Amino acid sequence: MSSSTVTLPSLADVGALALDVDGTLAGADHTVSPRTAAAVARVRDAGVPVLLVTGRSRANTLALAGSIGLDLPVVCCNGAVVVDPRTDEDLRVETLAPEEVRTMAELADELGLTCTWWTSRDIFISEPGFGRDLLMALNEQDVRVADLRDTDPGSIVKIMVVGRGDRLDEVAPTVSRVPRIARAMDEFFELSPERGAKWEGLSFVLDRLGVTADRTLGFGDGGNDVPWLSRIGYGFAMGNARPEVKAVTLTSIGHHAEDGLAAFLEHALDHLGLGAPRTGDLA
């Protein structure tokens, strides 16, 4: 949903700020710019809990949270894993059903796509190349080339088929028949456990904080952000978001490659007090 007039919540009404990472908090180089980090810190310092809700790995998400001064539980591995950065304790881990793992592996073979599967702490991939390089760049950790048959299927927290964007566009009608699958980024179709997607992870953390979904402000860009952005009170899409994200959010803001999140938060804090209506583009 888009609107020419959007009323932002007052700071007192915002119980938490929830942020996707790639395509949202992070720029085109997959890092968080100093400007964006500073804007997020201002929200945190105003007393609003800031939560990461990302498909990135456990280790990478913890490192990112530490680098920008966040110490509340993080939602990672697309929601299947929730970790307390202060104690390194896994607060919640959900795994896929073994038959779902088999379905995804067979689909990758049928379509000639690369398969990548994740446990709570490790990332594996079926072959070297483009997919492995991209995952290593995104997560800044080793991605091991392995045989899926050597991994306990009961330990897998998410599984993806990987390909270049144009190839995934071609196979999207076939891939989309898999229940719950989502286009996480242009290069990934991602399957999470039934109770282990971003919404379930975020809901778990909000409950611990005593914050209701209707008081949550959030930003995202990928298909895996649709379920949680559509359930919170103030969901916004990035300018670079996929169409299905823009369809369920209040409006779209600036592009992640241009510090769109920082610009939005700065303007809201400096000029709107997160409370006044504004007509027109919110970029």
Side-chain angles (χ1 to χ4, degrees), residues 27-48:
D29 61 356
H30 306 299
T31 67
V32 179
S33 72
R35 179 185 178 187
T36 298
V40 169
R42 288 184 61 195
V43 175
R44 177 204 64 205
D45 292 346
V48 178

Side-chain angles (χ1 to χ4, degrees), residues 94-101 104 118 153-160 180 191-194:
E94 296 289 328
T95 58
L96 283 157
E99 58 269 24
E100 293 179 317
V101 173
M104 288 291 283
W118 302 36
S155 69
I156 296 174
V157 298
K158 78 170 182 174
I159 189 167
M160 300 188 289
R180 302 195 318 275
L191 182 66
S192 295
E194 187 171 10

Side-chain angles (χ1 to χ4, degrees), residues 210-264:
V211 176
T212 56
D214 64 319
R215 295 183 59 227
T216 302
L217 172 65
F219 300 83
D221 75 302
N224 58 354
D225 295 315
V226 168
W228 71 272
L229 285 173
S230 63
R231 286 174 165 90
I232 63 175
Y234 309 101
F236 289 84
M238 301 302 296
N240 49 283
R242 295 187 60 79
E244 59 266 34
V245 182
K246 294 181 179 181
V248 301
T249 46
L250 294 171
T251 192
S252 57
I253 63 167
H255 198 286
H256 79 123
E258 300 169 351
D259 282 331
L261 177 65
F264 182 97

Side-chain angles (χ1 to χ4, degrees), residues 21-23 29-30 56-57 60 118 131-141 160 185 187-188:
V21 176
D22 290 297
D29 61 356
H30 306 299
R56 288 195 183 191
S57 70
N60 181 270
W118 302 36
R132 180 172 184 261
D133 293 344
L134 178 57
L135 286 168
M136 290 179 68
L138 288 172
N139 292 282
E140 299 180 323
Q141 73 179 74
M160 300 188 289
M185 292 172 57
E187 299 84 2
F188 302 118

Side-chain angles (χ1 to χ4, degrees), residues 20 40 44 60 64 83 94 147 150 156 174 233 257 275-276:
D20 168 55
V40 169
R44 177 204 64 205
N60 181 270
L64 175 59
V83 188
E94 296 289 328
D147 188 324
D150 295 332
I156 296 174
T174 299

Side-chain angles (χ1 to χ4, degrees), residues 193-214:
E194 187 171 10
R195 291 287 304 159
K198 287 186 176 184
W199 165 244
E200 285 75 24
L202 175 61
S203 181
F204 175 84
V205 177
L206 291 176
D207 285 347
R208 285 178 65 94
L209 295 176
V211 176
T212 56
D214 64 319

